Amino acid sequence: MKKKLFVIALAVGLLAANFTVISTASALSVDKCDEMFAQALSEFMADEGYGSQTIAADKQIVYDMGLEELGVLYTFTAGGEDGYAVVVDSTEGCTLSECFFGAENPYSGVEGTKVYAGPMIYLGYEDGEYTLGGEALSDEEVADIADTAYAASGSFTTSSETVYYTYRSYDGYALASRPPRYIEVGLESACAPIAGGNIIGYYDRYCTNLIPDFTPGVSVGNGLYMYLSQSDEVDAMIFDLYDDMGTTSIGTTYDQFISGMQTYCSRAGYTFSYSDCMSGGSLNYSYVKSEIDAGRPVALFVSQYTVSTVSLKDGYDSITNLHGTGNHVMAGFGYYDITYTLSSGGTRNSRYIEVSTGLGRQTNGYFNIDRDTTINDACSINIY
């Protein structure tokens, strides 16, 4: 029997009269959380054969233990049952953390700010004190919970600028006309497996079955190669990397990234090697360029970053910037080193690495290594 779709009607407004909105610089996207919630409920209702119906849901913002906006709690009625769901918003995108039918709002008796530390950990925060189940938590208990708690992964801002010039020169090279641009797959804090997945996707062109039963891209003439969109095989590979790296809701360390990539490649029958691209605590841009020239992409571990889109014009360039904060990992597949002789006098050098960001909100762009940037680690990667 063909199952019918249903409509989600989201009621705007907060459930608790004592709910306090804290002003933050969070990157929380309520619209994207709504989409994730609607998709998850739609799939469940279709699978259970409920048919066509309208579902009403109320929503409220929940916070991490740093009191930054983390996600949305939805309370709903579906199929004759009350329920609730929590969607968290991270740098990688929105993820359904939990969903229960036949259950009431878990924050109905929680005073103060509603803090979501993780699945089935519903805290309150008021007057400088965290509570759980109505009982005050000790500093030691708070520290224990914080060790594994969900956290808002940073904030995003945007800007734009115009560079007027009398002369422009640049040095650039890209490993593909369109490199892999894989993004989130519903895993928490998965930017490192996604960055590694983009690099593995790149090497699958040369290493058959590095991703099992998968064709990574197509040749488009004149020696150019275009990588195809994400697929089920890619998602499965990223899930494997997530496990191989030992990634948790806190994220992935540099050492875990290296170890996980080695494990994955060895299992597939290939050798993994890497080379440090840092020098004296800073990125060695000249070395990154030489590694990319040699056909080796790079992994970039950052805690603040600017990813730009550069539109080349005659006499001026238009640049839009996405500024991000929070620990993140990106894959680099090219470089773009521009030197301007400015119309106002003087010169300007803009040094970029072409990246696949792993972000759903902007999948690719040029990482400006000099602007509002903190690079903690970087390495080039070879798989053979």
Side-chain angles (χ1 to χ4, degrees):
M1 179 179 71
K2 187 175 181 180
K3 298 182 176 70
K4 297 180 180 179
L5 297 177
F6 69 101
V7 178
I8 295 274
L10 289 175
V12 178
L14 305 176
L15 294 176
N18 64 347
F19 182 78
T20 302
V21 177
I22 298 175
S23 177
T24 73
S26 170
L28 177 65
S29 170
V30 175
D31 288 345
K32 289 185 178 180
C33 290
D34 290 351
E35 292 172 6
M36 174 60 69
F37 169 69
Q39 177 184 345
L41 264 291
S42 175
E43 292 174 354
F44 177 84
M45 298 296 285
D47 289 343
E48 295 299 313
Y50 280 101
S52 179
Q53 57 182 284
T54 298
I55 295 178
D58 290 333
K59 61 185 177 181
Q60 68 182 101
I61 306 300
V62 293
Y63 294 81
D64 70 5
M65 295 188 72
L67 304 184
E68 292 191 6
E69 294 177 343
L70 175 66
V72 181
L73 168 75
Y74 300 89
T75 53
F76 59 85
T77 301
E81 289 189 277
D82 293 333
Y84 70 88
V86 180
V87 176
V88 297
D89 185 15
S90 68
T91 301
E92 294 82 28
C94 294
T95 304
L96 180 70
S97 180
E98 58 182 271
C99 182
F100 291 100
F101 282 72
E104 297 180 353
N105 178 0
Y107 288 101
S108 57
V110 176
E111 299 295 330
T113 302
K114 302 342 182 217
V115 175
Y116 184 66
M120 303 185 71
I121 307 177
Y122 318 108
L123 307 181
Y125 182 83
E126 190 173 33
D127 298 330
E129 190 173 63
Y130 287 95
T131 60
L132 176 62
E135 300 292 329
L137 295 173
S138 68
D139 291 343
E140 291 78 11
E141 290 171 325
V142 170
D144 287 342
I145 294 173
D147 281 342
T148 58
Y150 286 175
S153 52
S155 62
F156 290 98
T157 58
T158 58
S159 66
S160 60
E161 59 183 313
T162 302
V163 180
Y164 295 94
Y165 65 87
T166 57
Y167 181 75
R168 176 190 64 205
S169 64
Y170 59 87
D171 177 26
Y173 180 71
L175 295 177
S177 57
R178 183 188 188 277
R181 294 175 182 172
Y182 309 146
I183 58 173
E184 62 265 9
V185 292
L187 294 168
E188 192 67 26
S189 302
C191 60
I194 292 167
N198 275 300
I199 291 171
I200 284 174
Y202 165 78
Y203 275 110
D204 189 67
R205 173 185 176 186
Y206 308 102
C207 304
T208 305
N209 271 340
L210 187 59
I211 303 175
D213 304 317
F214 178 66
T215 301
V218 294
S219 297
V220 292
N222 297 321
L224 300 177
Y225 192 84
M226 179 178 293
Y227 284 83
L228 300 176
S229 300
Q230 199 156 339
S231 67
D232 290 343
E233 293 83 2
V234 168
D235 290 352
M237 175 267 293
I238 294 173
F239 270 80
D240 287 343
L241 279 175
Y242 193 91
D243 291 338
D244 291 337
M245 292 180 185
T247 302
T248 68
S249 60
I250 300 173
T252 312
T253 67
Y254 179 80
D255 289 342
Q256 285 177 306
F257 174 86
I258 296 299
S259 176
M261 292 288 283
Q262 288 174 328
T263 297
Y264 181 95
C265 294
S266 177
R267 187 171 57 242
Y270 291 98
T271 298
F272 168 90
S273 65
Y274 69 101
S275 181
D276 187 8
C277 294
M278 303 292 286
S279 177
S282 300
L283 183 74
N284 187 334
Y285 187 57
S286 295
Y287 185 67
V288 167
K289 291 166 66 174
S290 68
E291 288 294 277
I292 291 174
D293 284 337
R296 293 184 283 270
V298 297
L300 301 155
F301 292 72
V302 298
S303 52
Q304 63 173 335
Y305 48 97
T306 298
V307 177
S308 303
T309 301
V310 183
S311 180
L312 303 179
K313 307 288 186 180
D314 186 14
Y316 68 95
D317 286 354
S318 297
I319 303 171
T320 59
N321 303 301
L322 176 71
H323 309 282
T325 62
N327 292 331
H328 190 51
V329 189
M330 299 183 290
F333 296 102
Y335 59 85
Y336 197 30
D337 191 351
I338 310 175
T339 299
Y340 299 98
T341 300
L342 300 174
S343 300
S344 59
T347 61
R348 166 174 166 169
N349 180 221
S350 296
R351 301 185 298 169
Y352 299 101
I353 297 173
E354 182 183 359
V355 292
S356 294
T357 65
L359 302 173
R361 64 196 72 208
Q362 183 174 329
T363 62
N364 63 291
Y366 292 95
F367 169 45
N368 189 327
I369 70 166
D370 300 307
R371 178 167 182 166
D372 300 323
T373 291
T374 302
I375 304 171
N376 302 309
D377 277 300
C379 62
S380 61
I381 290 174
N382 192 19
I383 300 173
Y384 54 96

